[in-house]
Short mmCIF file of all heavy atoms in Angstrom, two decimals:
data_model
loop_
_atom_site.label_atom_id
_atom_site.label_comp_id
_atom_site.label_asym_id
_atom_site.label_seq_id
_atom_site.Cartn_x
_atom_site.Cartn_y
_atom_site.Cartn_z
N ILE A 4 103.58 97.36 101.00
CA ILE A 4 103.48 98.81 101.40
C ILE A 4 102.50 98.92 102.47
O ILE A 4 102.67 99.67 103.46
CB ILE A 4 103.16 99.61 100.14
CG1 ILE A 4 104.34 99.62 99.14
CG2 ILE A 4 102.87 101.11 100.54
CD1 ILE A 4 103.95 100.18 97.82
N PRO A 10 111.35 100.63 102.36
CA PRO A 10 112.71 100.91 102.76
C PRO A 10 112.78 102.22 103.46
O PRO A 10 111.94 103.11 103.19
CB PRO A 10 113.48 101.04 101.35
CG PRO A 10 112.58 100.43 100.40
CD PRO A 10 111.12 100.49 100.94
N PRO A 11 113.67 102.38 104.41
CA PRO A 11 113.74 103.60 105.23
C PRO A 11 114.04 104.91 104.34
O PRO A 11 113.81 105.96 104.77
CB PRO A 11 114.84 103.39 106.27
CG PRO A 11 115.56 102.18 105.70
CD PRO A 11 114.66 101.42 104.88
N THR A 12 114.58 104.70 103.19
CA THR A 12 114.91 105.80 102.30
C THR A 12 113.63 106.28 101.50
O THR A 12 113.73 107.31 100.77
CB THR A 12 116.01 105.48 101.34
OG1 THR A 12 115.69 104.27 100.58
CG2 THR A 12 117.22 105.17 102.10
N LEU A 21 94.64 108.32 88.43
CA LEU A 21 93.44 107.93 87.55
C LEU A 21 93.75 108.14 86.07
O LEU A 21 94.33 109.19 85.77
CB LEU A 21 92.24 108.67 87.95
CG LEU A 21 91.72 108.55 89.35
CD1 LEU A 21 90.54 109.52 89.63
CD2 LEU A 21 91.30 107.15 89.69
N PHE A 23 91.60 108.20 82.79
CA PHE A 23 90.41 108.07 82.15
C PHE A 23 90.38 108.25 80.66
O PHE A 23 89.37 108.60 79.98
CB PHE A 23 89.34 109.07 82.72
CG PHE A 23 88.89 108.82 84.17
CD1 PHE A 23 88.22 109.74 84.85
CD2 PHE A 23 89.24 107.62 84.81
CE1 PHE A 23 87.83 109.51 86.21
CE2 PHE A 23 88.89 107.36 86.14
CZ PHE A 23 88.18 108.33 86.81
N GLY A 30 83.93 102.42 80.37
CA GLY A 30 82.65 102.90 80.94
C GLY A 30 82.96 103.22 82.36
O GLY A 30 84.05 103.24 82.89
N GLY A 32 82.22 101.60 85.01
CA GLY A 32 82.76 100.55 85.87
C GLY A 32 84.18 100.54 85.88
O GLY A 32 84.85 100.38 87.00
N ASP A 35 85.22 103.49 88.16
CA ASP A 35 84.93 103.14 89.53
C ASP A 35 85.99 102.24 90.14
O ASP A 35 86.46 102.41 91.30
CB ASP A 35 83.60 102.43 89.75
CG ASP A 35 82.42 103.44 89.63
OD1 ASP A 35 82.65 104.64 89.74
OD2 ASP A 35 81.41 103.03 89.32
N ARG A 50 98.35 106.71 106.25
CA ARG A 50 98.72 105.93 107.41
C ARG A 50 100.27 105.92 107.67
O ARG A 50 100.74 106.01 108.74
CB ARG A 50 98.21 104.46 107.42
CG ARG A 50 98.43 103.74 108.69
CD ARG A 50 97.71 102.41 108.67
NE ARG A 50 98.40 101.47 107.82
CZ ARG A 50 97.95 100.86 106.84
NH1 ARG A 50 96.58 101.03 106.45
NH2 ARG A 50 98.62 99.98 106.06
N HIS A 58 99.58 110.72 89.18
CA HIS A 58 99.49 110.98 87.72
C HIS A 58 98.06 110.79 87.36
O HIS A 58 97.40 109.85 87.63
CB HIS A 58 100.40 109.97 86.91
CG HIS A 58 100.50 110.27 85.49
ND1 HIS A 58 101.42 111.12 84.97
CD2 HIS A 58 99.73 109.80 84.43
CE1 HIS A 58 101.24 111.22 83.67
NE2 HIS A 58 100.26 110.42 83.36
N SER A 61 93.44 112.71 81.64
CA SER A 61 92.08 112.92 81.35
C SER A 61 91.17 112.81 82.57
O SER A 61 90.00 112.38 82.47
CB SER A 61 91.56 111.97 80.15
OG SER A 61 92.27 112.19 78.94
N ARG A 64 90.23 116.89 87.23
CA ARG A 64 89.20 117.32 88.18
C ARG A 64 88.78 116.19 89.14
O ARG A 64 88.76 116.30 90.34
CB ARG A 64 88.08 117.93 87.55
CG ARG A 64 87.02 118.60 88.50
CD ARG A 64 85.90 119.26 87.83
NE ARG A 64 86.23 120.33 86.82
CZ ARG A 64 86.43 121.56 87.14
NH1 ARG A 64 86.43 121.91 88.34
NH2 ARG A 64 86.82 122.42 86.21
N THR A 66 90.31 113.58 89.99
CA THR A 66 91.51 113.10 90.84
C THR A 66 91.61 114.11 92.05
O THR A 66 91.68 113.65 93.20
CB THR A 66 92.84 113.10 90.00
OG1 THR A 66 92.68 112.12 88.97
CG2 THR A 66 93.99 112.71 90.95
N LYS A 71 90.78 115.28 97.81
CA LYS A 71 90.26 116.24 98.75
C LYS A 71 89.23 115.51 99.61
O LYS A 71 89.29 115.69 100.78
CB LYS A 71 89.75 117.54 98.08
CG LYS A 71 90.77 118.42 97.57
CD LYS A 71 90.19 119.57 96.71
CE LYS A 71 89.07 120.32 97.34
NZ LYS A 71 88.67 121.36 96.39
N ALA A 82 103.19 116.00 85.81
CA ALA A 82 102.70 116.06 84.42
C ALA A 82 101.25 116.36 84.23
O ALA A 82 100.47 115.76 83.47
CB ALA A 82 103.01 114.62 83.77
N GLY A 85 95.57 119.17 83.12
CA GLY A 85 94.28 119.73 83.28
C GLY A 85 94.31 121.29 83.06
O GLY A 85 95.34 121.86 82.85
N LYS A 86 93.10 121.86 83.20
CA LYS A 86 93.06 123.28 83.09
C LYS A 86 93.63 124.02 84.33
O LYS A 86 93.60 123.52 85.41
CB LYS A 86 91.54 123.71 83.02
CG LYS A 86 90.88 123.18 81.72
CD LYS A 86 89.38 123.54 81.75
CE LYS A 86 88.78 123.06 80.43
NZ LYS A 86 87.35 123.46 80.42
N SER A 88 92.39 126.39 86.06
CA SER A 88 91.37 126.54 87.09
C SER A 88 91.19 125.31 87.90
O SER A 88 90.93 125.33 89.15
CB SER A 88 90.02 126.96 86.45
OG SER A 88 89.61 125.91 85.64
N PHE A 100 102.30 120.78 92.01
CA PHE A 100 102.10 120.38 90.56
C PHE A 100 103.39 120.49 89.79
O PHE A 100 104.16 121.50 90.07
CB PHE A 100 101.05 121.31 89.94
CG PHE A 100 99.68 121.04 90.37
CD1 PHE A 100 99.22 121.60 91.68
CD2 PHE A 100 98.80 120.33 89.71
CE1 PHE A 100 97.97 121.40 92.07
CE2 PHE A 100 97.48 120.07 90.10
CZ PHE A 100 97.11 120.61 91.37
N PRO A 104 105.41 121.28 79.39
CA PRO A 104 105.45 122.34 78.47
C PRO A 104 104.29 122.23 77.47
O PRO A 104 103.81 121.17 77.14
CB PRO A 104 106.71 122.44 77.81
CG PRO A 104 107.43 121.10 78.11
CD PRO A 104 106.58 120.50 79.23
#
Side-chain angles (χ1 to χ4, degrees):
I4 294 169
T12 57
L21 301 175
F23 290 172
D35 287 339
R50 190 171 72 239
H58 187 87
S61 301
R64 186 178 306 276
T66 300
K71 288 170 51 177
K86 295 180 180 179
S88 60
F100 288 80

